[in-house]
Amino acid sequence: MQILRHAIELEALKGGVLVPTMGALHAGHAALVAAARRCADAGERRRAVIVSVFVNPTQFNEKTDFERYPRTLDADAALCADAGADAVFAPEVEEIYPPGRPVWMPAGAELPPAAREPGLEDAHRPGHFAGVCAVCRRLFELARPREAVFGEKDWQQLAVVRAMAASMPEGPRIIGHPTVREEDGLAMSSRNRLLTPNHRRRAAALARALEEAGRHDVPEEAEQGGRRVLLAMRIVPEYLAVRDGSTLAPLTGKAGAAPGARVLVAARVGDVRLIDNAPWPGFRIEHSPAASARAGSAAP
Ligand code: AMP
């Protein structure tokens, strides 16, 4: 497996499958890379699997969050090699955003509508999706993948990137991969390693809140039920909301009227901000990480 530092080196790998990440990789990322491998091997010609590892400054709202984001490139490269990647692309910031070249940062109506649904990520992290779109578009332009794999763990990002890629002349097909969870249901995340042991235990309440929301088939009751689970653990959510899985707009009717709906949550546990989501209703924590990866739903 190669480690690439320069965009020009991607030229030889175009037409492959890209897995964009910010590094500090874990088993959730490994599952995405393995899915990319299967996709790249499915046709007549074996295509390349590229994992980008780039902590993207334009998508962070807080400088401290960007600075303390874990950086573990050697371990990341080993994980990618094991999972079947052909190359890790780990550029410096200047390679993605060359000095003197204006950075395309979509704003307002330039962003896919899903990025601007009130009450979700955009309300709490203004400008975050502009940064996500900027880096993804740049990576797509540089690597020219035919497909790109994203995790359902970041459901809103998946919906936004899918819409953006569809609007690009040669944008890749976006493949969503189910969330990989720890034994107690906590969605795997690079940020989990920043939790204290006490906060790590409490963080499992996010998945339990999604499970509780899944027991109700009226959105308001689901949201109240999920919140109760969090508040019992002294976690105040930034949001816990049942939404349309594609548009991310609020739901009005009961569960049966909203196929593909999701329940989405964001909360700080200690000083670590965590997000999660699940199909709604009916989500159940499967107490085996491998099983929960297989049991996810289709992407929007
Ligand atoms: P990140 O490095 O956190 O930006 O994530 C890179 C990609 O991995 C994104 O598409 C995430 O949605 C995905 N991802 C992160 N955690 C998980 C997980 N627990 N299960 C599945 N995909 C994940």
Side-chain angles (χ1 to χ4, degrees), residues 196-247:
T196 65
N198 174 33
H199 290 145
R200 167 65 189 81
R201 272 192 298 280
R202 287 169 57 203
L206 266 75
R208 290 203 305 276
L210 299 177
E211 195 173 50
E212 176 58 27
R215 294 196 177 97
H216 305 263
D217 68 353
V218 175
E220 297 75 46
E221 291 170 12
E223 291 168 0
Q224 284 162 14
R227 272 166 209 274
R228 271 197 301 274
V229 171
L230 292 175
L231 294 175
M233 294 303 286
R234 288 173 285 111
I235 298 171
V236 180
E238 289 182 0
Y239 58 80
L240 188 150
V242 175
R243 296 292 176 102
D244 181 281
S246 302
T247 65

mmCIF file of all heavy atoms in Angstrom, residues 196-247:
data_model
loop_
_atom_site.group_PDB
_atom_site.id
_atom_site.type_symbol
_atom_site.label_atom_id
_atom_site.label_comp_id
_atom_site.label_asym_id
_atom_site.label_seq_id
_atom_site.Cartn_x
_atom_site.Cartn_y
_atom_site.Cartn_z
ATOM 1 N N THR A 196 -13.481 10.792 29.080
ATOM 2 C CA THR A 196 -12.973 10.180 30.320
ATOM 3 C C THR A 196 -13.736 8.864 30.521
ATOM 4 O O THR A 196 -14.817 8.686 29.943
ATOM 5 C CB THR A 196 -13.245 11.089 31.530
ATOM 6 O OG1 THR A 196 -14.672 11.179 31.692
ATOM 7 C CG2 THR A 196 -12.655 12.482 31.349
ATOM 8 N N PRO A 197 -13.229 7.952 31.358
ATOM 9 C CA PRO A 197 -13.957 6.686 31.570
ATOM 10 C C PRO A 197 -15.395 6.923 32.021
ATOM 11 O O PRO A 197 -16.320 6.250 31.556
ATOM 12 C CB PRO A 197 -13.127 5.988 32.654
ATOM 13 C CG PRO A 197 -11.742 6.527 32.465
ATOM 14 C CD PRO A 197 -11.915 7.957 32.028
ATOM 15 N N ASN A 198 -15.609 7.892 32.902
ATOM 16 C CA ASN A 198 -16.960 8.189 33.369
ATOM 17 C C ASN A 198 -17.843 8.704 32.221
ATOM 18 O O ASN A 198 -18.973 8.255 32.018
ATOM 19 C CB ASN A 198 -16.874 9.219 34.507
ATOM 20 C CG ASN A 198 -18.250 9.676 34.947
ATOM 21 O OD1 ASN A 198 -19.206 8.913 34.905
ATOM 22 N ND2 ASN A 198 -18.358 10.934 35.350
ATOM 23 N N HIS A 199 -17.322 9.616 31.444
ATOM 24 C CA HIS A 199 -18.092 10.149 30.316
ATOM 25 C C HIS A 199 -18.320 9.072 29.253
ATOM 26 O O HIS A 199 -19.359 9.039 28.594
ATOM 27 C CB HIS A 199 -17.381 11.362 29.705
ATOM 28 C CG HIS A 199 -17.414 12.564 30.607
ATOM 29 N ND1 HIS A 199 -16.391 13.464 30.690
ATOM 30 C CD2 HIS A 199 -18.357 12.980 31.468
ATOM 31 C CE1 HIS A 199 -16.698 14.391 31.573
ATOM 32 N NE2 HIS A 199 -17.894 14.128 32.060
ATOM 33 N N ARG A 200 -17.332 8.187 29.092
ATOM 34 C CA ARG A 200 -17.504 7.094 28.126
ATOM 35 C C ARG A 200 -18.707 6.229 28.498
ATOM 36 O O ARG A 200 -19.490 5.834 27.636
ATOM 37 C CB ARG A 200 -16.201 6.266 28.062
ATOM 38 C CG ARG A 200 -16.326 4.921 27.352
ATOM 39 C CD ARG A 200 -16.644 5.096 25.869
ATOM 40 N NE ARG A 200 -16.975 3.828 25.228
ATOM 41 C CZ ARG A 200 -18.167 3.234 25.276
ATOM 42 N NH1 ARG A 200 -19.186 3.787 25.949
ATOM 43 N NH2 ARG A 200 -18.374 2.111 24.640
ATOM 44 N N ARG A 201 -18.849 5.949 29.810
ATOM 45 C CA ARG A 201 -20.002 5.136 30.260
ATOM 46 C C ARG A 201 -21.307 5.876 29.981
ATOM 47 O O ARG A 201 -22.267 5.310 29.478
ATOM 48 C CB ARG A 201 -19.893 4.837 31.755
ATOM 49 C CG ARG A 201 -19.097 3.580 32.062
ATOM 50 C CD ARG A 201 -19.251 3.168 33.518
ATOM 51 N NE ARG A 201 -18.748 4.175 34.448
ATOM 52 C CZ ARG A 201 -17.455 4.344 34.751
ATOM 53 N NH1 ARG A 201 -16.545 3.574 34.219
ATOM 54 N NH2 ARG A 201 -17.077 5.290 35.587
ATOM 55 N N ARG A 202 -21.320 7.178 30.292
ATOM 56 C CA ARG A 202 -22.562 7.955 30.099
ATOM 57 C C ARG A 202 -22.902 8.112 28.609
ATOM 58 O O ARG A 202 -24.075 8.219 28.230
ATOM 59 C CB ARG A 202 -22.431 9.325 30.759
ATOM 60 C CG ARG A 202 -22.499 9.221 32.278
ATOM 61 C CD ARG A 202 -22.107 10.517 32.943
ATOM 62 N NE ARG A 202 -22.923 11.642 32.510
ATOM 63 C CZ ARG A 202 -22.530 12.920 32.579
ATOM 64 N NH1 ARG A 202 -21.331 13.225 33.045
ATOM 65 N NH2 ARG A 202 -23.318 13.879 32.178
ATOM 66 N N ALA A 203 -21.876 8.120 27.770
ATOM 67 C CA ALA A 203 -22.098 8.351 26.333
ATOM 68 C C ALA A 203 -22.968 7.283 25.694
ATOM 69 O O ALA A 203 -23.635 7.528 24.677
ATOM 70 C CB ALA A 203 -20.746 8.440 25.608
ATOM 71 N N ALA A 204 -22.990 6.107 26.297
ATOM 72 C CA ALA A 204 -23.818 5.023 25.735
ATOM 73 C C ALA A 204 -25.301 5.390 25.759
ATOM 74 O O ALA A 204 -26.117 4.775 25.060
ATOM 75 C CB ALA A 204 -23.576 3.730 26.498
ATOM 76 N N ALA A 205 -25.650 6.408 26.553
ATOM 77 C CA ALA A 205 -27.056 6.844 26.615
ATOM 78 C C ALA A 205 -27.549 7.380 25.265
ATOM 79 O O ALA A 205 -28.757 7.365 25.000
ATOM 80 C CB ALA A 205 -27.228 7.908 27.698
ATOM 81 N N LEU A 206 -26.647 7.854 24.413
ATOM 82 C CA LEU A 206 -27.111 8.372 23.108
ATOM 83 C C LEU A 206 -27.793 7.258 22.314
ATOM 84 O O LEU A 206 -28.881 7.450 21.767
ATOM 85 C CB LEU A 206 -25.948 8.952 22.294
ATOM 86 C CG LEU A 206 -25.730 10.461 22.446
ATOM 87 C CD1 LEU A 206 -25.076 10.770 23.783
ATOM 88 C CD2 LEU A 206 -24.891 11.009 21.310
ATOM 89 N N ALA A 207 -27.143 6.106 22.257
ATOM 90 C CA ALA A 207 -27.734 4.994 21.491
ATOM 91 C C ALA A 207 -29.018 4.515 22.168
ATOM 92 O O ALA A 207 -29.995 4.179 21.491
ATOM 93 C CB ALA A 207 -26.724 3.856 21.360
ATOM 94 N N ARG A 208 -29.012 4.497 23.502
ATOM 95 C CA ARG A 208 -30.231 4.069 24.208
ATOM 96 C C ARG A 208 -31.374 5.060 23.964
ATOM 97 O O ARG A 208 -32.537 4.683 23.900
ATOM 98 C CB ARG A 208 -29.958 3.910 25.705
ATOM 99 C CG ARG A 208 -29.058 2.725 26.033
ATOM 100 C CD ARG A 208 -29.265 2.272 27.483
ATOM 101 N NE ARG A 208 -29.077 3.361 28.426
ATOM 102 C CZ ARG A 208 -27.894 3.766 28.908
ATOM 103 N NH1 ARG A 208 -26.794 3.155 28.537
ATOM 104 N NH2 ARG A 208 -27.824 4.772 29.759
ATOM 105 N N ALA A 209 -31.030 6.334 23.812
ATOM 106 C CA ALA A 209 -32.062 7.343 23.525
ATOM 107 C C ALA A 209 -32.664 7.102 22.131
ATOM 108 O O ALA A 209 -33.881 7.236 21.931
ATOM 109 C CB ALA A 209 -31.467 8.745 23.614
ATOM 110 N N LEU A 210 -31.827 6.719 21.188
ATOM 111 C CA LEU A 210 -32.328 6.414 19.834
ATOM 112 C C LEU A 210 -33.238 5.187 19.884
ATOM 113 O O LEU A 210 -34.262 5.118 19.202
ATOM 114 C CB LEU A 210 -31.165 6.172 18.868
ATOM 115 C CG LEU A 210 -30.188 7.337 18.661
ATOM 116 C CD1 LEU A 210 -29.052 6.913 17.732
ATOM 117 C CD2 LEU A 210 -30.915 8.560 18.090
ATOM 118 N N GLU A 211 -32.829 4.231 20.722
ATOM 119 C CA GLU A 211 -33.625 3.012 20.867
ATOM 120 C C GLU A 211 -34.988 3.348 21.483
ATOM 121 O O GLU A 211 -36.031 2.873 21.014
ATOM 122 C CB GLU A 211 -32.855 2.032 21.758
ATOM 123 C CG GLU A 211 -33.349 0.624 21.717
ATOM 124 C CD GLU A 211 -32.414 -0.312 22.495
ATOM 125 O OE1 GLU A 211 -32.069 -0.013 23.654
ATOM 126 O OE2 GLU A 211 -32.034 -1.338 21.931
ATOM 127 N N GLU A 212 -34.970 4.193 22.518
ATOM 128 C CA GLU A 212 -36.234 4.573 23.168
ATOM 129 C C GLU A 212 -37.128 5.339 22.175
ATOM 130 O O GLU A 212 -38.329 5.091 22.092
ATOM 131 C CB GLU A 212 -35.943 5.432 24.409
ATOM 132 C CG GLU A 212 -37.182 5.967 25.125
ATOM 133 C CD GLU A 212 -38.138 4.862 25.585
ATOM 134 O OE1 GLU A 212 -37.674 3.741 25.830
ATOM 135 O OE2 GLU A 212 -39.358 5.141 25.655
ATOM 136 N N ALA A 213 -36.525 6.244 21.417
ATOM 137 C CA ALA A 213 -37.306 6.989 20.417
ATOM 138 C C ALA A 213 -37.958 6.020 19.433
ATOM 139 O O ALA A 213 -39.085 6.247 18.970
ATOM 140 C CB ALA A 213 -36.410 7.982 19.676
ATOM 141 N N GLY A 214 -37.279 4.938 19.155
ATOM 142 C CA GLY A 214 -37.777 3.954 18.197
ATOM 143 C C GLY A 214 -38.951 3.143 18.703
ATOM 144 O O GLY A 214 -39.563 2.394 17.939
ATOM 145 N N ARG A 215 -39.269 3.294 20.000
ATOM 146 C CA ARG A 215 -40.415 2.551 20.552
ATOM 147 C C ARG A 215 -41.720 3.317 20.368
ATOM 148 O O ARG A 215 -42.784 2.810 20.684
ATOM 149 C CB ARG A 215 -40.210 2.288 22.049
ATOM 150 C CG ARG A 215 -39.054 1.372 22.334
ATOM 151 C CD ARG A 215 -39.093 0.806 23.746
ATOM 152 N NE ARG A 215 -38.000 -0.120 23.908
ATOM 153 C CZ ARG A 215 -36.810 0.177 24.466
ATOM 154 N NH1 ARG A 215 -36.610 1.381 24.965
ATOM 155 N NH2 ARG A 215 -35.868 -0.725 24.535
ATOM 156 N N HIS A 216 -41.650 4.571 19.911
ATOM 157 C CA HIS A 216 -42.849 5.404 19.744
ATOM 158 C C HIS A 216 -43.065 5.644 18.262
ATOM 159 O O HIS A 216 -42.099 5.838 17.534
ATOM 160 C CB HIS A 216 -42.662 6.755 20.449
ATOM 161 C CG HIS A 216 -42.306 6.617 21.899
ATOM 162 N ND1 HIS A 216 -43.228 6.708 22.908
ATOM 163 C CD2 HIS A 216 -41.124 6.373 22.502
ATOM 164 C CE1 HIS A 216 -42.624 6.535 24.078
ATOM 165 N NE2 HIS A 216 -41.343 6.330 23.853
ATOM 166 N N ASP A 217 -44.310 5.706 17.841
ATOM 167 C CA ASP A 217 -44.500 5.914 16.403
ATOM 168 C C ASP A 217 -45.089 7.287 16.074
ATOM 169 O O ASP A 217 -45.499 7.539 14.947
ATOM 170 C CB ASP A 217 -45.301 4.766 15.773
ATOM 171 C CG ASP A 217 -46.738 4.743 16.239
ATOM 172 O OD1 ASP A 217 -47.077 5.532 17.143
ATOM 173 O OD2 ASP A 217 -47.509 3.940 15.695
ATOM 174 N N VAL A 218 -45.095 8.180 17.074
ATOM 175 C CA VAL A 218 -45.459 9.583 16.817
ATOM 176 C C VAL A 218 -44.184 10.410 17.052
ATOM 177 O O VAL A 218 -43.555 10.266 18.109
ATOM 178 C CB VAL A 218 -46.583 10.048 17.778
ATOM 179 C CG1 VAL A 218 -46.867 11.534 17.598
ATOM 180 C CG2 VAL A 218 -47.833 9.211 17.570
ATOM 181 N N PRO A 219 -43.772 11.267 16.093
ATOM 182 C CA PRO A 219 -42.483 11.953 16.232
ATOM 183 C C PRO A 219 -42.292 12.676 17.563
ATOM 184 O O PRO A 219 -41.246 12.523 18.203
ATOM 185 C CB PRO A 219 -42.477 12.934 15.055
ATOM 186 C CG PRO A 219 -43.323 12.277 14.022
ATOM 187 C CD PRO A 219 -44.394 11.529 14.776
ATOM 188 N N GLU A 220 -43.305 13.445 18.016
ATOM 189 C CA GLU A 220 -43.111 14.227 19.258
ATOM 190 C C GLU A 220 -42.889 13.297 20.450
ATOM 191 O O GLU A 220 -42.070 13.570 21.325
ATOM 192 C CB GLU A 220 -44.316 15.125 19.568
ATOM 193 C CG GLU A 220 -44.609 16.202 18.532
ATOM 194 C CD GLU A 220 -45.242 15.632 17.277
ATOM 195 O OE1 GLU A 220 -46.177 14.815 17.398
ATOM 196 O OE2 GLU A 220 -44.794 15.971 16.168
ATOM 197 N N GLU A 221 -43.655 12.196 20.464
ATOM 198 C CA GLU A 221 -43.510 11.256 21.593
ATOM 199 C C GLU A 221 -42.144 10.577 21.540
ATOM 200 O O GLU A 221 -41.502 10.342 22.571
ATOM 201 C CB GLU A 221 -44.628 10.207 21.559
ATOM 202 C CG GLU A 221 -45.980 10.809 21.877
ATOM 203 C CD GLU A 221 -47.135 9.841 21.613
ATOM 204 O OE1 GLU A 221 -46.873 8.628 21.409
ATOM 205 O OE2 GLU A 221 -48.281 10.321 21.603
ATOM 206 N N ALA A 222 -41.698 10.279 20.344
ATOM 207 C CA ALA A 222 -40.377 9.661 20.168
ATOM 208 C C ALA A 222 -39.297 10.617 20.674
ATOM 209 O O ALA A 222 -38.370 10.213 21.397
ATOM 210 C CB ALA A 222 -40.151 9.334 18.693
ATOM 211 N N GLU A 223 -39.415 11.891 20.300
ATOM 212 C CA GLU A 223 -38.404 12.875 20.698
ATOM 213 C C GLU A 223 -38.392 13.049 22.215
ATOM 214 O O GLU A 223 -37.337 13.105 22.851
ATOM 215 C CB GLU A 223 -38.666 14.202 19.980
ATOM 216 C CG GLU A 223 -38.400 14.082 18.475
ATOM 217 C CD GLU A 223 -38.900 15.264 17.659
ATOM 218 O OE1 GLU A 223 -39.478 16.210 18.249
ATOM 219 O OE2 GLU A 223 -38.718 15.241 16.426
ATOM 220 N N GLN A 224 -39.596 13.108 22.802
ATOM 221 C CA GLN A 224 -39.663 13.258 24.272
ATOM 222 C C GLN A 224 -39.075 12.038 24.968
ATOM 223 O O GLN A 224 -38.324 12.160 25.937
ATOM 224 C CB GLN A 224 -41.107 13.461 24.718
ATOM 225 C CG GLN A 224 -41.618 14.872 24.428
ATOM 226 C CD GLN A 224 -43.140 14.935 24.460
ATOM 227 O OE1 GLN A 224 -43.809 14.021 24.933
ATOM 228 N NE2 GLN A 224 -43.682 16.033 23.946
ATOM 229 N N GLY A 225 -39.405 10.852 24.452
ATOM 230 C CA GLY A 225 -38.890 9.609 25.054
ATOM 231 C C GLY A 225 -37.368 9.566 24.993
ATOM 232 O O GLY A 225 -36.701 9.227 25.978
ATOM 233 N N GLY A 226 -36.805 9.925 23.853
ATOM 234 C CA GLY A 226 -35.349 9.923 23.693
ATOM 235 C C GLY A 226 -34.682 10.917 24.633
ATOM 236 O O GLY A 226 -33.676 10.613 25.281
ATOM 237 N N ARG A 227 -35.275 12.100 24.738
ATOM 238 C CA ARG A 227 -34.715 13.130 25.630
ATOM 239 C C ARG A 227 -34.693 12.676 27.088
ATOM 240 O O ARG A 227 -33.750 12.947 27.825
ATOM 241 C CB ARG A 227 -35.560 14.409 25.564
ATOM 242 C CG ARG A 227 -35.145 15.344 24.476
ATOM 243 C CD ARG A 227 -36.237 16.397 24.283
ATOM 244 N NE ARG A 227 -36.200 16.829 22.913
ATOM 245 C CZ ARG A 227 -35.404 17.795 22.484
ATOM 246 N NH1 ARG A 227 -34.631 18.435 23.334
ATOM 247 N NH2 ARG A 227 -35.388 18.117 21.216
ATOM 248 N N ARG A 228 -35.790 11.997 27.472
ATOM 249 C CA ARG A 228 -35.872 11.528 28.873
ATOM 250 C C ARG A 228 -34.679 10.622 29.213
ATOM 251 O O ARG A 228 -34.094 10.731 30.281
ATOM 252 C CB ARG A 228 -37.183 10.765 29.103
ATOM 253 C CG ARG A 228 -38.343 11.668 29.539
ATOM 254 C CD ARG A 228 -39.474 10.844 30.152
ATOM 255 N NE ARG A 228 -40.007 9.850 29.227
ATOM 256 C CZ ARG A 228 -40.967 10.096 28.325
ATOM 257 N NH1 ARG A 228 -41.508 11.303 28.232
ATOM 258 N NH2 ARG A 228 -41.387 9.144 27.510
ATOM 259 N N VAL A 229 -34.335 9.750 28.277
ATOM 260 C CA VAL A 229 -33.209 8.833 28.510
ATOM 261 C C VAL A 229 -31.911 9.627 28.706
ATOM 262 O O VAL A 229 -31.093 9.331 29.591
ATOM 263 C CB VAL A 229 -33.067 7.836 27.336
ATOM 264 C CG1 VAL A 229 -31.786 7.030 27.445
ATOM 265 C CG2 VAL A 229 -34.279 6.921 27.277
ATOM 266 N N LEU A 230 -31.733 10.664 27.905
ATOM 267 C CA LEU A 230 -30.503 11.467 28.024
ATOM 268 C C LEU A 230 -30.482 12.254 29.321
ATOM 269 O O LEU A 230 -29.468 12.293 30.026
ATOM 270 C CB LEU A 230 -30.387 12.416 26.827
ATOM 271 C CG LEU A 230 -30.131 11.733 25.489
ATOM 272 C CD1 LEU A 230 -30.148 12.751 24.364
ATOM 273 C CD2 LEU A 230 -28.795 10.993 25.503
ATOM 274 N N LEU A 231 -31.617 12.885 29.630
ATOM 275 C CA LEU A 231 -31.659 13.728 30.826
ATOM 276 C C LEU A 231 -31.417 12.894 32.083
ATOM 277 O O LEU A 231 -30.803 13.367 33.041
ATOM 278 C CB LEU A 231 -32.991 14.491 30.902
ATOM 279 C CG LEU A 231 -33.166 15.517 29.771
ATOM 280 C CD1 LEU A 231 -34.547 16.158 29.826
ATOM 281 C CD2 LEU A 231 -32.081 16.588 29.809
ATOM 282 N N ALA A 232 -31.874 11.646 32.058
ATOM 283 C CA ALA A 232 -31.650 10.758 33.216
ATOM 284 C C ALA A 232 -30.153 10.550 33.443
ATOM 285 O O ALA A 232 -29.717 10.246 34.550
ATOM 286 C CB ALA A 232 -32.336 9.417 32.981
ATOM 287 N N MET A 233 -29.355 10.716 32.386
ATOM 288 C CA MET A 233 -27.892 10.592 32.520
ATOM 289 C C MET A 233 -27.239 11.972 32.591
ATOM 290 O O MET A 233 -26.036 12.100 32.375
ATOM 291 C CB MET A 233 -27.322 9.823 31.320
ATOM 292 C CG MET A 233 -27.745 8.383 31.246
ATOM 293 S SD MET A 233 -27.322 7.450 32.730
ATOM 294 C CE MET A 233 -25.569 7.271 32.516
ATOM 295 N N ARG A 234 -28.046 12.994 32.844
ATOM 296 C CA ARG A 234 -27.578 14.401 32.926
ATOM 297 C C ARG A 234 -26.916 14.852 31.620
ATOM 298 O O ARG A 234 -25.963 15.596 31.600
ATOM 299 C CB ARG A 234 -26.615 14.585 34.118
ATOM 300 C CG ARG A 234 -27.349 14.517 35.454
ATOM 301 C CD ARG A 234 -26.415 14.516 36.638
ATOM 302 N NE ARG A 234 -25.767 13.220 36.802
ATOM 303 C CZ ARG A 234 -24.485 12.974 36.594
ATOM 304 N NH1 ARG A 234 -23.680 13.938 36.219
ATOM 305 N NH2 ARG A 234 -23.983 11.769 36.747
ATOM 306 N N ILE A 235 -27.456 14.361 30.521
ATOM 307 C CA ILE A 235 -26.991 14.812 29.204
ATOM 308 C C ILE A 235 -28.106 15.650 28.583
ATOM 309 O O ILE A 235 -29.240 15.171 28.448
ATOM 310 C CB ILE A 235 -26.659 13.608 28.287
ATOM 311 C CG1 ILE A 235 -25.518 12.783 28.892
ATOM 312 C CG2 ILE A 235 -26.319 14.070 26.880
ATOM 313 C CD1 ILE A 235 -25.256 11.461 28.170
ATOM 314 N N VAL A 236 -27.776 16.914 28.244
ATOM 315 C CA VAL A 236 -28.775 17.790 27.624
ATOM 316 C C VAL A 236 -28.487 17.821 26.125
ATOM 317 O O VAL A 236 -27.440 18.336 25.713
ATOM 318 C CB VAL A 236 -28.690 19.219 28.208
ATOM 319 C CG1 VAL A 236 -29.733 20.128 27.569
ATOM 320 C CG2 VAL A 236 -28.839 19.180 29.724
ATOM 321 N N PRO A 237 -29.375 17.259 25.313
ATOM 322 C CA PRO A 237 -29.057 17.199 23.879
ATOM 323 C C PRO A 237 -29.124 18.576 23.217
ATOM 324 O O PRO A 237 -29.930 19.412 23.610
ATOM 325 C CB PRO A 237 -30.150 16.289 23.317
ATOM 326 C CG PRO A 237 -31.283 16.390 24.277
ATOM 327 C CD PRO A 237 -30.684 16.666 25.629
ATOM 328 N N GLU A 238 -28.269 18.779 22.215
ATOM 329 C CA GLU A 238 -28.426 19.981 21.377
ATOM 330 C C GLU A 238 -29.680 19.807 20.534
ATOM 331 O O GLU A 238 -30.417 20.741 20.292
ATOM 332 C CB GLU A 238 -27.190 20.176 20.501
ATOM 333 C CG GLU A 238 -25.979 20.612 21.308
ATOM 334 C CD GLU A 238 -24.746 20.855 20.467
ATOM 335 O OE1 GLU A 238 -24.791 20.693 19.227
ATOM 336 O OE2 GLU A 238 -23.717 21.211 21.065
ATOM 337 N N TYR A 239 -29.885 18.600 20.057
ATOM 338 C CA TYR A 239 -31.149 18.263 19.411
ATOM 339 C C TYR A 239 -31.341 16.765 19.490
ATOM 340 O O TYR A 239 -30.371 16.002 19.596
ATOM 341 C CB TYR A 239 -31.207 18.741 17.944
ATOM 342 C CG TYR A 239 -30.119 18.198 17.053
ATOM 343 C CD1 TYR A 239 -30.186 16.921 16.501
ATOM 344 C CD2 TYR A 239 -28.996 18.967 16.762
ATOM 345 C CE1 TYR A 239 -29.180 16.424 15.693
ATOM 346 C CE2 TYR A 239 -27.971 18.470 15.951
ATOM 347 C CZ TYR A 239 -28.071 17.206 15.423
ATOM 348 O OH TYR A 239 -27.070 16.704 14.622
ATOM 349 N N LEU A 240 -32.591 16.363 19.503
ATOM 350 C CA LEU A 240 -32.946 14.956 19.297
ATOM 351 C C LEU A 240 -34.220 15.038 18.470
ATOM 352 O O LEU A 240 -35.259 15.497 18.959
ATOM 353 C CB LEU A 240 -33.175 14.218 20.612
ATOM 354 C CG LEU A 240 -33.363 12.696 20.420
ATOM 355 C CD1 LEU A 240 -32.859 11.913 21.630
ATOM 356 C CD2 LEU A 240 -34.796 12.307 20.116
ATOM 357 N N ALA A 241 -34.132 14.693 17.215
ATOM 358 C CA ALA A 241 -35.215 15.019 16.296
ATOM 359 C C ALA A 241 -35.477 13.880 15.326
ATOM 360 O O ALA A 241 -34.544 13.243 14.838
ATOM 361 C CB ALA A 241 -34.852 16.288 15.511
ATOM 362 N N VAL A 242 -36.752 13.660 15.056
ATOM 363 C CA VAL A 242 -37.157 12.694 14.044
ATOM 364 C C VAL A 242 -37.332 13.468 12.731
ATOM 365 O O VAL A 242 -38.035 14.480 12.700
ATOM 366 C CB VAL A 242 -38.467 11.996 14.448
ATOM 367 C CG1 VAL A 242 -38.947 11.081 13.339
ATOM 368 C CG2 VAL A 242 -38.264 11.209 15.734
ATOM 369 N N ARG A 243 -36.687 13.023 11.681
ATOM 370 C CA ARG A 243 -36.714 13.766 10.418
ATOM 371 C C ARG A 243 -36.866 12.833 9.219
ATOM 372 O O ARG A 243 -36.556 11.633 9.314
ATOM 373 C CB ARG A 243 -35.400 14.564 10.243
ATOM 374 C CG ARG A 243 -35.189 15.661 11.291
ATOM 375 C CD ARG A 243 -36.196 16.769 11.125
ATOM 376 N NE ARG A 243 -36.112 17.791 12.146
ATOM 377 C CZ ARG A 243 -35.531 18.992 11.982
ATOM 378 N NH1 ARG A 243 -34.974 19.298 10.830
ATOM 379 N NH2 ARG A 243 -35.549 19.861 12.955
ATOM 380 N N ASP A 244 -37.277 13.423 8.105
ATOM 381 C CA ASP A 244 -37.246 12.710 6.829
ATOM 382 C C ASP A 244 -35.786 12.349 6.524
ATOM 383 O O ASP A 244 -34.888 13.192 6.656
ATOM 384 C CB ASP A 244 -37.812 13.618 5.725
ATOM 385 C CG ASP A 244 -37.819 12.919 4.380
ATOM 386 O OD1 ASP A 244 -36.749 12.852 3.726
ATOM 387 O OD2 ASP A 244 -38.881 12.429 3.985
ATOM 388 N N GLY A 245 -35.548 11.106 6.117
ATOM 389 C CA GLY A 245 -34.175 10.636 5.938
ATOM 390 C C GLY A 245 -33.433 11.311 4.793
ATOM 391 O O GLY A 245 -32.211 11.388 4.837
ATOM 392 N N SER A 246 -34.137 11.806 3.787
ATOM 393 C CA SER A 246 -33.461 12.427 2.639
ATOM 394 C C SER A 246 -33.421 13.943 2.745
ATOM 395 O O SER A 246 -32.361 14.554 2.608
ATOM 396 C CB SER A 246 -34.175 12.083 1.333
ATOM 397 O OG SER A 246 -34.216 10.705 1.172
ATOM 398 N N THR A 247 -34.591 14.552 2.999
ATOM 399 C CA THR A 247 -34.635 16.013 3.026
ATOM 400 C C THR A 247 -34.232 16.576 4.380
ATOM 401 O O THR A 247 -33.887 17.751 4.491
ATOM 402 C CB THR A 247 -36.056 16.516 2.711
ATOM 403 O OG1 THR A 247 -36.920 16.086 3.784
ATOM 404 C CG2 THR A 247 -36.567 15.974 1.385
#
